[in-house]
Amino acid sequence: MAKYKIALMPGDGIGNDVMDAAKIVLDKIALDAEYVPADIGWEFWRAEGEPLPQRTIDTLKTCDCALFAAITSKPKEEAEAELVPELQGKGLTYRSPIVRMRQIFDLYVNLRPCKAFKGNPLNFQDGIDMVTFRENTQGLYAGVEFHPLPDDLRAKLEELSPRMGAFEGVASEDIALSTRIFTRAGCQRIVRAAFEYANKFGYPTVTLVEKPNVIRETSGLMVREARKISAEYPDIELWETNVDAMAMWMVKNPQNYGVMVSSNMFGDIVSDLAAQLVGGLGFAASGNIGDDLAIFEPTHGSAPKYAGQYKVNPTAMLLAVKLMLDWLGETDTAQRLEQAIAEVIEEGETRTYDMDGDATTLEMAQAVADKL
Ligand code: NAI
Ligand code: MG
């Protein structure tokens, strides 16, 4: 039996292009792994009314981890209109497979490293090496939302918070409420993941990106828990910043930062900012990590206009493979893969169009494999 069982989920559009690129590199690495293809994406929504079929969930339950490329998603009415005729009018609703996988497998860490590779013409500045730990299951994206504001909830809020006075006289149907729920355990596990990573890979600081001076209770809880956990890692300094100021610092002095940790929405925003500083979507990989399963992906989507042209940059997908290797404990191989990617980009002979090159997706992946 192979040491690892890894699901491969190419999905839609350029997801297939970049997964083919990943396979070139995986072949070269020759990990002791069994790779199992798994269905996900638009085609399964159209034909079966489910973009994440139960058989894929069952497969994932038997795997150590998965590589996922990209999927297409569309607004509700458009999605329904594209179902095969037999499935139309049955009240099926499209649900994001990524969000569902995060929920089903409690993938609470969203890990997003952003490194400026030398010679990448898309770098904002050289020397950037930022890694965002974004909480992936709670906070503003947990979906506990109301509109109109229910009467009983409103009455309770008015009883408990004098601040509700600001909304006196506003009709409940004119009030929308989105909650931001943090738990102590939720704060602890994301902060701990960030410190563990900093410790393992030698980053001297962990920067907590929140807004405790204004969002006192949720951000406040995260800050207090972070300070406690920080005490367990005397060699790593905890820096505390407000998210708005952080956006300015990230543009002004991005080289000053290493590991950053944040809640779901703020982490989403700062990690996109970090990605653009090192070249954008072609370079941004992420890991969705839980205690029992981890899913690694490029953060870009299915870019339908480039689908099947083997034109897009495979780097984000290859960096997702690198993150997977790290997570599996294959850190030497991970390091060699990143080095090979860095060399190909720096030499500049085999670059995709986004870096002003003319290499195809597969040629660039092959160049990386050759370096290995
Ligand atoms: P997108 O990320 O697919 O593409 C936007 C643009 O970014 C592309 O047109 C291209 O110019 C550039 N780009 C993306 N990946 C690239 C790469 N590897 N190399 C070079 N350039 C690259 O975002 P868009 O167009 O907003 O969405 C297309 C579809 O993808 C939609 O159906 C959307 O819902 C879905 N999507 C899926 C995601 C996922 O699977 N995780 C994430 C984002 C969008
Ligand atoms: Mg995002």
Side-chain angles (χ1 to χ4, degrees):
M1 212 176 89
K3 188 167 174 200
Y4 306 118
K5 190 169 172 190
I6 300 171
L8 299 183
M9 300 184 282
D12 304 309
I14 62 163
N16 293 286
D17 303 28
V18 298
M19 187 61 88
D20 286 346
K23 284 179 185 164
I24 291 175
V25 165
L26 290 171
D27 275 351
K28 184 78 183 190
I29 289 172
L31 208 58
D32 183 9
E34 178 195 355
Y35 296 100
V36 240
D39 296 337
I40 194 168
W42 199 248
E43 158 189 0
F44 304 99
W45 160 253
R46 292 191 58 196
E48 303 174 27
E50 179 50 80
L52 179 67
Q54 183 59 41
R55 61 182 177 280
T56 297
I57 297 170
D58 294 339
T59 297
L60 288 171
K61 284 182 185 159
T62 69
C63 289
D64 297 292
C65 61
L67 281 172
F68 161 65
I71 47 151
T72 296
S73 54
K74 298 185 185 177
K76 207 173 151 205
E77 285 77 23
E78 255 179 86
E80 156 109 56
E82 289 199 21
L83 284 170
V84 291
E86 308 88 271
L87 291 176
Q88 293 203 14
K90 294 213 162 146
L92 293 169
T93 42
Y94 182 87
R95 292 176 295 173
S96 158
I98 306 169
V99 173
R100 278 194 71 216
M101 289 190 294
R102 286 175 185 163
Q103 288 165 347
I104 294 170
F105 296 103
D106 195 21
L107 307 176
Y108 58 90
V109 171
N110 191 251
L111 163 64
R112 286 187 63 174
C114 293
K115 191 177 265 188
F117 289 106
K118 259 199 202 125
N120 179 359
L122 303 174
N123 283 345
F124 176 73
Q125 272 182 34
D126 289 337
I128 298 171
D129 179 4
M130 290 189 274
V131 184
T132 308
F133 278 78
R134 162 188 166 198
E135 203 291 322
N136 221 7
T137 54
Q138 307 191 337
L140 254 177
Y141 295 178
V144 183
E145 304 191 286
F146 306 92
H147 181 233
L149 185 58
D151 287 338
D152 47 353
L153 181 55
R154 181 170 193 167
K156 199 72 195 171
L157 289 171
E158 281 167 352
E159 181 193 323
L160 296 175
S161 175
R163 302 279 180 158
M164 282 300 289
F167 307 101
E168 209 184 309
V170 183
S172 290
E173 55 268 29
D174 295 331
I175 301 180
L177 171 69
S178 301
T179 65
R180 188 177 196 257
I181 303 177
F182 288 19
T183 65
R184 191 186 305 279
C187 294
Q188 286 170 344
R189 64 186 187 171
I190 190 68
V191 172
R192 189 170 295 287
F195 272 92
E196 280 296 312
Y197 189 95
N199 195 36
K200 183 170 172 193
F201 293 102
Y203 289 86
T205 60
V206 168
T207 304
L208 179 66
V209 185
E210 277 297 319
K211 187 80 182 175
N213 57 336
V214 177
I215 320 177
R216 290 173 188 280
E217 300 309 335
T218 44
S219 287
L221 181 65
M222 186 114 154
V223 170
R224 288 192 300 277
E225 293 309 316
R227 287 179 187 166
K228 281 188 240 164
I229 288 170
S230 153
E232 298 171 32
Y233 298 84
D235 298 336
I236 302 168
E237 215 177 312
L238 175 67
W239 290 357
E240 297 171 16
T241 63
N242 285 328
V243 59
D244 48 342
M246 189 67 193
M248 292 199 291
W249 291 121
M250 282 172 70
V251 173
K252 189 160 188 282
N253 298 319
Q255 323 82 347
N256 288 2
Y257 297 93
V259 173
M260 306 186 287
V261 58
S262 194
S263 54
N264 210 335
M265 185 187 72
F266 292 163
D268 194 10
I269 297 170
V270 295
S271 60
D272 269 19
L273 173 51
Q276 194 55 41
L277 297 177
V278 300
L281 287 172
F283 298 85
S286 72
N288 299 279
I289 303 172
D291 291 332
D292 303 319
L293 182 76
I295 300 176
F296 300 91
E297 55 164 330
T299 57
H300 62 70
S302 62
K305 71 177 175 191
Y306 294 122
Q309 296 182 26
Y310 291 96
K311 193 178 163 171
V312 296
N313 189 345
T315 303
M317 185 77 221
L318 300 183
L319 289 172
V321 173
K322 187 260 177 192
L323 288 180
M324 178 185 83
L325 293 167
D326 273 337
W327 185 81
L328 288 170
E330 302 283 342
T331 40
D332 288 345
T333 313
Q335 191 49 46
R336 284 194 293 121
L337 174 55
E338 187 176 283
Q339 185 57 35
I341 295 168
E343 283 172 21
V344 168
I345 293 172
E346 189 171 6
E347 286 170 11
E349 272 158 36
T350 321
R351 289 177 175 166
T352 44
Y353 81 96
D354 54 324
M355 288 177 277
D356 298 326
D358 56 10
T360 66
T361 307
L362 301 184
E363 284 166 353
M364 190 166 166
Q366 188 60 54
V368 171
D370 291 344
K371 290 277 180 207
L372 287 163

